[in-house]
Amino acid sequence: MDFLMDLAQYGAKHFQLTLFRYVLAASVMSICAGWLFRTWMHRRRIQKHRAGWKDIRREVSFSMLTVCVFTVIGTIVSLLEEMGLTKLYWQWSDYPMWWNIASLPVLILLHDAYFYWTHRGMHHPKVFKHFHRLHHLSRTPTPWTAYSFSVGEAALNGLFSPLIVLMIPLHPTIWLSFVFIMIFRNAMLHTGCEFHPRSWVDGPLDNMTTTTHHDLHHQRFQGNYGFYFTWWDRWMGTEFKDYKLAFRRAVDGKQYGAAQEKASGTHINLSPSGNIPA
């Protein structure tokens, strides 16, 4: 009975936290793009087409399913912690200060590699329709697309959590900071408006992805698989060659992606039998 009570408490805690961070991040990005900076963001829309309320309702519905999957995974992590199997530590003094400072960047780097390879793998024709097709129903993404996953994709994304806490020591504050950075960046990449300054792709900050970088992935369904950084796409040759041109046109208000699609007559078959290239 005590075990079931603990399970219920862990589940309720993780459900509330997961739902809170999703709604918070998606709401903040929606308010910024659609209200606070509406005029500026409208000029920086990446696509001419806009998602409708039907699209947003679908995204929120499937995001609630993802919240449930993440809740189960979070509960498993809590149980592993209770059994003493994780490397989470609660006293900052348990590890050197340099590790307390470095652990968050290390975590982000590891997640970036995990995301790139799992994301790219889900685009293989044999698994795409089972894992990733649902997310790509959002051809014109919104901040609410951030958690719009199938059960399989949600589980694969969530698997990073138990794997990492079993492998490397982390303070819970670092972990909590990471999950909030992750969801806010996720929501930003799906906003459909370019937040970054025009000079972003002309200097060292070009190593970090932009909203345009990920939006092109939603438009074309392959390439630009990275989440935080552009490194893996460039090392593996999967970044779109016209990415920087698309970025500059987005910040100049020229909606490059929509113009290219109209000119080329691009059409992707999203039916269950659709042949989506890897």
Side-chain angles (χ1 to χ4, degrees):
M1 184 61 69
D2 289 341
F3 173 76
L4 293 177
M5 288 294 294
D6 289 342
L7 202 63
Q9 290 176 357
Y10 290 145
K13 178 185 72 174
H14 285 289
F15 180 83
Q16 291 169 4
L17 179 60
T18 305
L19 180 62
F20 171 73
R21 66 177 185 250
Y22 165 70
V23 172
L24 177 66
S27 297
V28 167
M29 291 302 163
S30 296
I31 291 171
C32 286
W35 183 50
L36 286 180
F37 310 109
R38 182 176 181 178
T39 302
W40 184 59
M41 287 285 94
H42 179 72
R43 292 198 303 266
R44 286 167 157 255
R45 292 198 62 82
I46 300 165
Q47 300 184 46
K48 184 177 181 180
H49 181 264
R50 296 194 182 196
W53 284 111
K54 181 179 179 181
D55 299 303
I56 295 174
R57 285 195 297 269
R58 183 194 69 249
E59 292 168 351
V60 171
S61 296
F62 282 105
S63 292
M64 293 304 100
L65 185 60
T66 295
V67 167
C68 292
V69 173
F70 285 177
T71 295
V72 172
I73 293 172
T75 301
I76 292 172
V77 170
S78 291
L79 291 175
L80 292 173
E81 167 63 14
E82 189 176 83
M83 296 165 64
L85 298 177
T86 74
K87 293 193 174 184
L88 292 171
Y89 60 93
W90 296 88
Q91 300 297 323
W92 291 105
S93 58
D94 289 347
Y95 282 84
M97 182 57 66
W98 69 265
W99 174 248
N100 290 326
I101 296 172
S103 54
L104 181 58
V106 168
L107 192 55
I108 290 172
L109 288 171
L110 289 173
H111 185 241
D112 188 63
Y114 180 87
F115 183 91
Y116 175 86
W117 287 106
T118 55
H119 187 194
R120 184 175 175 181
M122 286 188 293
H123 276 265
H124 191 280
K126 291 185 178 180
V127 299
F128 179 85
K129 64 182 180 180
H130 302 296
F131 281 83
H132 200 44
R133 173 182 175 271
L134 191 150
H135 186 68
H136 272 285
L137 292 177
S138 299
R139 184 71 178 274
T140 306
T142 75
W144 304 97
T145 311
Y147 275 0
S148 184
F149 305 141
S150 67
V151 172
E153 180 170 6
L156 185 61
N157 286 332
L159 184 61
F160 180 78
S161 298
L163 287 177
I164 209 70
V165 298
L166 289 171
M167 291 191 300
I168 67 172
L170 290 171
H171 193 280
T173 301
I174 297 297
W175 179 255
L176 192 62
S177 300
F178 164 71
V179 296
F180 273 92
I181 290 171
M182 177 173 57
I183 183 56
F184 269 90
R185 185 162 186 80
N186 196 346
M188 183 203 72
L189 291 178
H190 290 96
T191 301
C193 303
E194 188 50 71
F195 284 83
H196 301 79
R198 197 178 197 278
S199 60
W200 188 270
V201 297
D202 298 316
L205 293 176
D206 183 42
N207 290 316
M208 299 179 66
T209 58
T210 63
T211 309
T212 301
H213 193 274
H214 191 70
D215 199 280
L216 287 173
H217 175 77
H218 274 265
Q219 293 179 46
R220 302 176 185 180
F221 294 83
Q222 52 181 327
N224 285 18
Y225 299 110
F227 188 67
Y228 303 94
F229 305 106
T230 56
W231 298 330
W232 285 105
D233 279 305
R234 291 175 182 175
W235 291 337
M236 297 296 110
T238 54
E239 184 176 72
F240 293 120
K241 296 186 184 303
D242 60 346
Y243 155 58
K244 292 187 180 183
L245 175 60
F247 173 86
R248 293 187 182 102
R249 291 182 67 93
V251 298
D252 290 341
K254 295 181 180 179
Q255 297 172 335
Y256 176 79
Q260 285 296 96
E261 181 182 337
K262 183 177 180 180
S264 63
T266 302
H267 175 70
I268 301 295
N269 180 5
L270 279 180
S271 67
S273 59
N275 184 20
I276 310 297

